[in-house]
Amino acid sequence: MQNRYLSLPYANGAAFNSRLWEHESLCLRDTRVDLLEQIKMWSKDSHGPYIFWLNGIAGTGKSTIARTVANTWYNENRLGASFFFSKGRGDLGHAGKLFTSIAAQLANALPALKPFICKSIEENPDIFQRALGEQWKYLIFRPLSSLTGVLSQARVLILVIDALDECENYNDTSVILRLLAEAKSLNSVRLKVFITSRPEMTIRLGFRDMPRTAHHDFVLHDISQSIVRQDISTLFRYELEYIRRKHDIADGWPGEDTIELLSYRAQGLFIYAATACRFIGDRLWHPVDRLPLILKDDYIGQSHTLALDAMYIGIVTHSMNFGDQNSHDEVRLRSEFRQIVGSIVILFDILPLTMLARLIDIPESTVCGRLRPLYSVLDVPETGKDQSPVRLLHPSFRDFLLDKKRCMHHRIWIDEEKAHGDLFMSCLNIMSKYLHRDMCNLRLPGALISEVENEVIEKYLPLDVQYACRYWVSHLKRSKVKLCDNDQVHSFLQEKFLYWLEALSLIGKISDGVLMVRSLETMLNPKSEANHDLRMMVYDAKRFVLNNISIIEIAPLQIYCSAVLFSPKRSIIRSKFWDQIPCWIKNIPEVQEDWSPSLQTLEGDFGVVNAVAFSPDGQLIAIASRKNTVFLWNSTTGISQNTLEGHSSSVNAVAFLPDGRFLASASDDKTIRLWDPSTGASHCTLEGHSSFVWAVAFSPDGQLLVSGSHDRSVRLWDPSTGASHHALVGHSSGVRAVAFSPVGELLASASDDKTIRLWDLSTGASHFTLEGHSSKVWAVAFSPDGQLLASGSFDCSVRLWDPSTGASLFTIEGEHSCKTVAFSPDGQFLASGLWVNKVTLLAPLTGASLCTLEGHYREISAVAFSSDSQHVVSASWDKTVRVWDPSIGGSRCTLNGHFSVVCAVGFSPDGQLLASGSVDRSVKLWDPSTGASHRSLEGHTSGVCDVAFSPDGELLASASEDTTIRLWDPSTGTSRCTLKGHTSGVCDVAFSPDGALLASASMDTTIRLWDPSTGASHYTLEGHTSGVYGVAFSPDGALLASASKDTTISLWDPSTGISRCTLRGHSDYVVAVAFSPD
């Protein structure tokens, strides 16, 4: 059990007393007196607000105060845990290890907590990969709740979270605040939370959403300037006195007037004072010489950072010896500054000096030389052997360098986009240099990552290479680099993609690889030909990772065995890296031709799944289960995010509020619950139905929630308050499904009474009753434009209706009951989930079947599309959820209309029409984008063998067994003329490239050349001894080829009708012929 507690992932440097913060100061005696007393009173008030929010602009001393109070509470045995966020310092820059680190510290502060945390880890072994809400619930909230009756008396523990604004994902900050707000409901251990941050908008909004009594706010920069200046004066006196003694300077230095001037210049910013003192006390210079450099300019103005900015400019220009000249040395110095310091300020994780130098490919001695004079703003190790990281002493220096308006010295301003572009290239270069197959010498394909020691990984994958593997895409995304075919990214993927995946597996970041490949995909313009090949490779890479992530993350070398071996034949990754398959594998398995539509299968302890829904941003999939539970999974990584528990019976339906803030679930327990999907917290429970609740949906504006129940009613609710508006009564049996029209003025309800009702929401009156189904109606959905309403029934049909009139437009008959229907947001697809193991994608305008998604092995219970229409998700009674790519679902559509064999098809030059010829004697024109039939061209008296469009698309030729060729106007369907002359069936027709000639091949052994504009016959080409099956013009029109039953191909000069040569070699009929494009 203890081992499970020890396995908690921990962010190095999280706690206030970590080695990382060892040299950071606490508040000096007699400073911050009133504020510290106020915080002390809050910490001991058992009835007041349980959160204290200390906010202030950069440099006002928030972190120093946080360290001070954390140290006090630690010594009083009241500190539960602390987490000091720090942007650009690896795990301290994000929330990924926030709650695991806090749980580890809480267990140390309260040993009785350990067995409960261990139990949670044992019951939820994947908890470290789950969402923040799940980690909070299982690692902190529930274990603390379990202490009731265990502790002899209630304890008060305080959490300190510093610099919340430096958490890189703003969405996470909102989630963290909502989760911490739940601490109020704990009894056995009362948690109080001390938070510091800048007053960022997302954080202000997070506190605004809490009850006002839940938090006490204190704004640092609103403290009286006289009090702040007095505290800053105290800091200057203390630090400068220390410097005076250290350098044996005469008593009285620097003088009270100088201290007062410095305090005035600080403009209330403690970081000004701390940086000035570090600059003055730099061990490489004498303080008496440095002090005038700080005092020489007076920059007091309206901006609170003006003096700080001026000091930063002075420090950098003096330390780097920047002048105004443009000598070669000066230009080189500026370039090195931007490359070295520019990299430091944008790094996503800190690196030791040696690793930084190698990453940016600058000699370590040069990096040391450029950084050491910046001692007052950077923490730089003494020597390269010291593996301490190079880091910013305060984020305000980063803010200054990257802000062109603040960094008015153009020679030192860092162009953030260019810096990211440079670091992206550095990452690519170092990966290209170091990544190769089997980097850690594992040798055996079955070697498990769990068996590899960290020391081995760090030896062969040093920190700079690990950094490059993790963050190259992030730097690329923030740069000005444009992606195109055969660029550096394309070359890297073609040469090193598998090695990169191996490295990510070794360092335990393979799930990040999924996110990075998906991020790459979003950077590529789907309509640009310039990145077509790269786009195809990135798509293939995404499919490759998703398909193999489960094996790659535990056995890295399986990338080169099972992953490549079992990829489809047309996989680009398989083709590029086929030579990586071990030579001892002799029997190559038969695999599918291409990737299946199934992107990934979510397998968890779902039980039977009743419904699924995508969140509006497409990041989450909500899964309604018969196990009384709603599961939330990340749609990108396929990892469980949260488990929502609270219903006492089967959950039948789920729906997200349009802005994603709430999730509604409907249950057999007669209730609807509203949840916060980011935290998993239950917002409220809606009660009013007298029987099972089968359906739930939000209005497009999010102002209404509708539910349908077995009690035959439809109820409307206010989701913000949970209040019931009114019930819509009219159905004579249970209501299975509900849906709002896109504008929200109509509501559709589907019922076991075989009808669909349309309700006018402005009056609550029933608008229409749609009748036509012969059994229960299970599903209903509006098209995105509101012009169509689809319904699915137990009678094995899907019906399309006009919601404005209630008229039935057409019925799609099937062989199986339809359980669910859904339109794609772009209106291109209508998905039908069948009471078997298939999902059918239909063309909404025609009802034509576009494709069938197969992979489940039991009935389909629900389908839903992502907001971008790129993915469709299906749920099944086989207890799995599958995510599909509808664009490769197989056949784009099936065109039904001919009643006999179809002999020929051809596209118009602009691709807008498709012509088909059949033994049924007709030629049909279709819209290939929808599958809709435009018209049927009648006239032939026997089967149609071939069709062909003229190059300009103005004519359509059809060849028939009735010995004729007909020319049609495809825009109207009218017959222009009939070409007669052949004495037997015409097998093939072809237009010359310029459209001036039409060639026809016949079973009468001849080829005829016609003028399509007049219908006149030019030549009759004779020479074959048996029927001619095919003809084709060369691209330049200089040659005509004919294929014959006599086993030969003849080449002709179409301008004269003379035979040029006869090609022999086939031993049987030649039925087709074609020229290459060149």
Side-chain angles (χ1 to χ4, degrees):
M1 273 295 235
Q2 187 73 3
N3 290 336
R4 293 194 179 278
Y5 154 68
L6 293 173
S7 70
L8 280 168
Y10 193 85
N12 291 327
F16 84 97
N17 53 358
S18 299
R19 174 77 172 86
L20 181 63
W21 313 112
E22 183 176 12
H23 300 297
E24 300 294 335
S25 59
L26 304 180
C27 293
L28 294 174
R29 186 176 179 181
D30 297 327
T31 63
R32 304 292 201 185
V33 176
D34 292 340
L35 173 57
L36 292 175
E37 181 60 26
Q38 194 174 141
I39 296 171
K40 178 182 176 181
M41 295 293 291
W42 164 81
S43 73
K44 294 186 175 181
D45 182 0
S46 58
H47 302 292
Y50 57 96
I51 296 178
F52 192 112
W53 179 33
L54 179 69
N55 77 83
I57 58 177
T60 47
K62 301 181 293 296
S63 294
T64 302
I65 295 167
R67 283 191 297 273
T68 301
V69 296
N71 183 65
T72 298
W73 293 328
Y74 178 78
N75 291 330
E76 294 172 352
N77 201 28
R78 293 199 296 148
L79 181 68
S82 57
F83 195 100
F84 279 58
F85 280 104
S86 184
K87 189 176 181 180
R89 289 184 181 169
D91 292 331
L92 299 183
H94 59 82
K97 294 183 180 178
L98 169 65
F99 290 131
T100 56
S101 300
I102 288 177
Q105 294 179 57
L106 280 171
N108 284 330
L110 202 61
L113 198 60
K114 290 182 183 179
F116 298 105
I117 293 177
C118 293
K119 183 181 179 183
S120 285
I121 297 172
E122 186 173 7
E123 293 174 350
N124 303 275
D126 63 340
I127 189 63
F128 309 137
Q129 281 76 49
R130 292 194 199 171
L132 293 176
E134 290 277 274
Q135 293 184 14
W136 163 262
K137 177 165 62 176
Y138 289 111
L139 297 178
I140 298 173
F141 190 83
R142 284 193 178 179
L144 286 172
S145 301
S146 301
L147 291 176
T148 303
V150 175
L151 301 177
S152 56
Q153 60 181 20
R155 287 280 305 274
V156 175
L157 290 176
I158 305 171
L159 305 182
V160 175
I161 298 178
D162 179 57
L164 181 59
D165 56 285
E166 291 201 42
C167 178
E168 290 168 358
N169 189 327
Y170 289 141
N171 293 325
D172 284 348
T173 61
S174 302
V175 172
I176 290 166
L177 290 173
R178 287 200 290 272
L179 291 170
L180 292 174
E182 296 178 13
K184 184 179 182 180
S185 59
L186 290 166
N187 296 317
S188 56
V189 174
R190 179 169 170 77
L191 271 190
K192 306 201 82 171
V193 188
F194 181 83
I195 299 172
T196 76
S197 77
R198 300 186 196 187
E200 304 288 358
M201 177 61 73
T202 52
I203 298 176
R204 295 206 310 271
L205 292 176
F207 279 106
R208 188 183 300 173
D209 288 341
M210 294 183 196
R212 189 65 192 87
T213 56
H215 56 96
H216 176 84
D217 303 347
F218 192 99
V219 182
L220 269 177
H221 47 274
D222 285 351
I223 298 177
S224 167
Q225 281 298 304
S226 61
I227 295 175
V228 175
R229 192 175 301 160
Q230 180 179 336
D231 288 346
I232 290 176
S233 297
T234 301
L235 175 59
F236 269 122
R237 287 190 192 93
Y238 178 87
E239 294 292 343
L240 293 177
E241 175 62 17
Y242 173 80
I243 292 170
R244 185 193 72 77
R245 291 182 177 181
K246 184 177 179 180
H247 290 268
D248 198 23
I249 302 172
D251 287 349
W253 181 88
E256 196 59 31
D257 290 344
T258 299
I259 288 175
E260 288 304 312
L261 178 58
L262 288 169
S263 302
Y264 175 68
R265 291 261 182 101
Q267 291 287 283
L269 299 180
F270 281 80
I271 189 58
Y272 179 98
T275 304
C277 290
R278 284 180 67 92
F279 180 75
I280 294 166
D282 191 328
R283 59 194 180 282
L284 300 178
W285 301 84
H286 197 279
V288 175
D289 298 327
R290 301 281 272 185
L291 180 58
L293 297 173
I294 295 290
L295 296 172
K296 69 176 182 178
D297 295 312
D298 185 0
Y299 282 98
I300 304 304
Q302 290 185 346
S303 170
H304 66 272
T305 65
L306 199 59
L308 180 65
D309 298 343
M311 181 175 67
Y312 279 147
I313 290 173
I315 288 173
V316 174
T317 53
H318 180 269
S319 300
M320 303 302 293
N321 293 315
F322 284 159
D324 295 324
Q325 68 274 19
N326 285 308
S327 65
H328 174 74
D329 288 345
E330 176 83 4
V331 171
R332 180 176 58 82
L333 192 62
R334 290 180 211 149
S335 175
E336 289 175 350
F337 171 81
R338 289 196 177 99
Q339 193 172 357
I340 298 168
V341 179
S343 296
I344 293 170
V345 298
I346 64 166
L347 282 173
F348 293 105
D349 200 353
I350 48 180
L351 287 171
L353 190 145
T354 304
M355 301 298 177
L356 173 65
R358 197 165 67 171
L359 176 63
I360 60 178
D361 196 24
I362 293 179
E364 185 180 329
S365 57
T366 302
V367 175
C368 283
R370 298 293 172 258
L371 294 182
R372 218 159 259 145
L374 296 171
Y375 163 82
S376 54
V377 288
L378 295 174
D379 185 3
V380 184
E382 291 289 338
T383 66
K385 293 181 180 179
D386 183 351
Q387 289 303 301
S388 299
V390 181
R391 62 186 183 91
L392 297 171
L393 287 173
H394 196 271
S396 61
F397 186 54
R398 177 196 297 114
D399 300 339
F400 160 75
L401 286 176
L402 298 178
D403 189 337
K404 200 171 186 178
K405 293 179 180 177
R406 289 180 59 187
C407 186
M408 293 177 288
H409 196 300
H410 69 278
R411 300 177 191 277
I412 61 176
W413 169 66
I414 304 295
D415 182 337
E416 187 172 3
E417 286 186 335
K418 184 181 184 304
H420 277 294
D422 291 343
L423 209 45
F424 152 68
M425 285 306 303
S426 295
C427 289
L428 273 197
N429 291 336
I430 201 164
M431 287 191 296
S432 297
K433 182 177 180 181
Y434 284 95
L435 298 186
H436 59 85
R437 178 175 172 153
D438 194 10
M439 283 161 278
C440 292
N441 293 321
L442 304 183
R443 295 179 183 168
L444 297 177
L448 302 179
I449 187 64
S450 58
E451 299 170 351
V452 186
E453 298 292 337
N454 286 336
E455 293 77 11
V456 174
I457 295 173
E458 290 178 8
K459 176 182 177 181
Y460 293 105
L461 280 173
L463 293 179
D464 52 335
V465 181
Q466 290 190 33
Y467 180 92
C469 289
R470 293 182 62 188
Y471 297 114
W472 68 274
V473 174
S474 298
H475 286 299
L476 170 62
K477 195 169 186 178
R478 290 163 175 79
S479 73
K480 300 174 183 177
V481 177
K482 302 299 181 185
L483 298 177
C484 63
D485 291 344
N486 302 313
D487 65 2
Q488 301 97 325
V489 171
H490 199 179
S491 297
F492 173 76
L493 294 177
Q494 289 178 314
E495 297 169 10
K496 301 286 184 176
F497 177 69
L498 293 194
Y499 311 147
W500 174 57
L501 289 186
E502 181 192 337
L504 290 176
S505 175
L506 288 166
I507 62 177
K509 298 295 179 181
I510 195 66
S511 60
D512 289 357
V514 178
L515 298 175
M516 285 188 273
V517 173
R518 283 268 174 95
S519 185
L520 266 181
E521 194 174 32
T522 64
M523 289 183 244
L524 294 164
N525 183 353
K527 297 181 180 179
S528 171
E529 284 301 313
N531 62 38
H532 175 271
D533 292 349
L534 174 58
R535 195 167 68 249
M536 293 301 100
M537 180 154 199
V538 170
Y539 175 80
D540 196 71
K542 177 186 74 174
R543 298 303 307 269
F544 183 88
V545 179
L546 287 173
N547 201 55
N548 297 290
I549 187 171
S550 60
I551 184 63
I552 293 174
E553 66 182 349
I554 61 173
L557 298 189
Q558 283 298 318
I559 294 171
Y560 310 104
C561 297
S562 60
V564 173
L565 198 61
F566 289 102
S567 292
K569 293 176 182 177
R570 294 176 60 184
S571 164
I572 298 172
I573 301 300
R574 176 186 169 107
S575 173
K576 294 288 183 185
F577 295 96
W578 183 255
D579 60 350
Q580 296 295 313
I581 294 177
C583 59
W584 48 264
I585 296 179
K586 301 299 183 183
N587 296 321
I588 306 301
E590 188 63 31
V591 295
Q592 59 195 23
E593 195 69 23
D594 211 338
W595 294 108
S596 74
S598 179
L599 288 170
Q600 55 185 321
T601 302
L602 310 182
E603 297 184 76
D605 189 20
F606 303 140
V608 172
V609 178
N610 288 327
V612 287
F614 271 105
S615 61
D617 63 4
Q619 296 300 303
L620 290 176
I621 297 174
I623 301 166
S625 166
R626 287 196 181 181
K627 299 185 78 170
N628 314 345
T629 303
V630 178
F631 298 91
L632 294 178
W633 284 57
N634 185 300
S635 63
T636 301
T637 62
I639 293 173
S640 171
Q641 294 288 90
N642 228 323
T643 303
L644 313 183
E645 298 173 308
H647 284 295
S648 58
S649 193
S650 175
V651 183
N652 300 314
V654 283
F656 281 93
L657 191 70
D659 65 7
R661 288 187 302 116
F662 290 123
L663 172 72
S665 59
S667 171
D668 277 355
D669 65 9
K670 308 176 187 178
T671 70
I672 300 106
R673 281 184 176 257
L674 293 180
W675 312 83
D676 181 340
S678 63
T679 65
S682 177
H683 182 66
C684 61
T685 302
L686 313 183
E687 299 179 295
H689 283 294
S690 58
S691 188
F692 312 144
V693 187
W694 282 339
V696 68
F698 284 99
S699 62
D701 62 4
Q703 298 300 304
L704 287 175
L705 175 71
V706 64
S707 57
S709 169
H710 179 256
D711 66 10
R712 299 181 289 183
S713 73
V714 175
R715 283 186 174 270
L716 296 172
W717 313 79
D718 182 341
S720 62
T721 64
S724 175
H725 277 236
H726 53 275
L728 308 179
V729 180
H731 282 295
S732 59
S733 193
V735 179
R736 292 279 179 179
V738 289
F740 283 96
S741 63
V743 180
E745 81 284 9
L746 288 178
L747 173 69
S749 57
S751 170
D752 282 356
D753 65 10
K754 308 176 188 179
T755 70
I756 301 104
R757 283 184 177 258
L758 290 177
W759 308 84
D760 184 338
L761 289 176
S762 62
T763 64
S766 178
H767 204 49
F768 296 114
T769 300
L770 312 184
E771 298 179 307
H773 284 295
S774 59
S775 188
K776 300 174 182 178
V777 187
W778 288 73
V780 67
F782 281 94
S783 62
D785 61 4
Q787 300 300 304
L788 294 172
L789 179 72
S791 59
S793 169
F794 210 66
D795 65 9
C796 303
S797 73
V798 174
R799 284 181 175 261
L800 274 298
W801 313 79
D802 182 343
S804 64
T805 65
S808 176
L809 299 177
F810 55 86
T811 302
I812 306 165
E813 301 288 351
E815 298 178 359
H816 305 282
S817 300
C818 177
K819 177 69 165 60
T820 177
V821 291
F823 283 94
S824 61
D826 63 6
Q828 295 298 305
F829 298 105
L830 171 63
S832 166
L834 304 180
W835 207 239
V836 285
N837 57 348
K838 299 175 183 177
V839 176
T840 301
L841 296 184
L842 306 166
L845 297 179
T846 65
S849 175
L850 302 179
C851 65
T852 301
L853 309 179
E854 299 183 77
H856 288 294
Y857 61 86
R858 284 205 63 188
E859 298 90 329
I860 304 298
S861 53
V863 290
F865 282 91
S866 60
S867 57
D868 60 4
S869 301
Q870 297 300 302
H871 300 114
V872 60
V873 62
S874 60
S876 168
W877 281 20
D878 65 9
K879 305 180 182 180
T880 69
V881 174
R882 284 181 178 260
V883 182
W884 311 82
D885 180 347
S887 67
I888 60 168
S891 167
R892 184 74 171 89
C893 59
T894 301
L895 312 183
N896 296 306
H898 287 294
F899 58 84
S900 190
V901 176
V902 180
C903 300
V905 289
F907 281 98
S908 61
D910 61 4
Q912 298 301 302
L913 287 176
L914 175 69
S916 60
S918 169
V919 171
D920 66 9
R921 309 177 191 176
S922 72
V923 175
K924 290 187 180 291
L925 294 177
W926 313 82
D927 181 341
S929 65
T930 64
S933 175
H934 274 236
R935 55 182 54 89
S936 182
L937 313 182
E938 309 287 344
H940 284 295
T941 58
S942 192
V944 179
C945 301
D946 194 32
V947 289
F949 283 93
S950 62
D952 61 5
E954 297 295 320
L955 290 174
L956 172 68
S958 58
S960 171
E961 290 179 346
D962 65 8
T963 74
T964 69
I965 301 104
R966 282 184 176 259
L967 294 179
W968 312 82
D969 181 341
S971 63
T972 63
T974 57
S975 176
R976 295 277 287 271
C977 63
T978 302
L979 311 183
K980 300 180 180 180
H982 285 294
T983 58
S984 189
V986 185
C987 300
D988 196 19
V989 284
F991 282 94
S992 62
D994 61 3
L997 291 174
L998 175 70
S1000 59
S1002 170
M1003 290 305 290
D1004 65 8
T1005 75
T1006 69
I1007 300 102
R1008 283 183 176 261
L1009 293 175
W1010 313 80
D1011 181 342
S1013 63
T1014 64
S1017 176
H1018 273 225
Y1019 303 109
T1020 300
L1021 312 183
E1022 298 178 310
H1024 285 295
T1025 58
S1026 193
V1028 185
Y1029 286 127
V1031 284
F1033 283 94
S1034 63
D1036 60 3
L1039 288 175
L1040 175 70
S1042 58
S1044 171
K1045 187 178 179 181
D1046 65 11
T1047 74
T1048 70
I1049 299 112
S1050 287
L1051 294 179
W1052 311 81
D1053 182 339
S1055 64
T1056 64
I1058 297 172
S1059 175
R1060 298 279 292 272
C1061 64
T1062 300
L1063 311 181
R1064 304 178 189 277
H1066 286 292
S1067 59
D1068 209 336
Y1069 306 160
V1070 185
V1071 295
V1073 66
F1075 285 92
S1076 65
D1078 59 0

